[in-house]
Amino acid sequence: MENMRCLRCNRELEAGHKSVALYMFAQTVGVKPRQKSTAHRISFCPQCSVSLAMGPPPEGALNMAAWDMIRDLVGSDPALNQAAWENLSGILGLLPATGTDGAARSAPTGGYFEF
Ligand SMILES: [Zn+2]
């Protein structure tokens, strides 16, 4: 099995880890023969999912559609927020206690999907 990575932060998502997966495939309609593309799976870690859902709407119709779906998930149950919070606590626990620069992690600032 290939290793899944979060599309936004490139964090490795091991099997069994919590994440949000978007499945996408294209299919012709009203055209014969009907064609279907392979299905693609796009993953987001809990932090990015929550961050994207809380953030401003992205540009582009496809990005908007994905954003809406993620907001749907994040907004309907706190489980994903909880997972993000747990991951964040784990990361913070590993950081050396150097004081005030806790925000200096290299999280990507562009919160947009890139299809
Ligand atoms: Zn991520």
Side-chain angles (χ1 to χ4, degrees), residues 1-5 12-16 23 41 43:
M1 284 293 286
E2 60 186 313
N3 278 331
M4 299 299 305
R5 287 182 174 276
E12 207 167 303
L13 300 165
E14 288 165 42
Y23 296 90
R41 178 177 153 149
S43 295

Side-chain angles (χ1 to χ4, degrees), residues 6-11 13 43-49:
C6 172
L7 181 68
R8 186 167 174 255
C9 71
N10 214 32
R11 180 202 315 273
L13 300 165
S43 295
F44 293 103
C45 70
Q47 285 100 309
C48 288
S49 306

Side-chain angles (χ1 to χ4, degrees), residues 49-95:
S49 306
V50 171
S51 173
L52 287 165
M54 304 279 184
E59 302 203 4
L62 207 51
N63 290 343
M64 271 295 276
W67 183 69
D68 270 340
M69 290 188 279
I70 293 174
R71 274 166 69 88
D72 213 28
L73 293 181
V74 172
S76 61
D77 192 286
L80 207 56
N81 297 270
Q82 177 74 20
W85 184 82
E86 280 165 9
N87 284 1
L88 189 61
S89 318
I91 291 165
L92 289 177
L94 294 173
L95 289 174

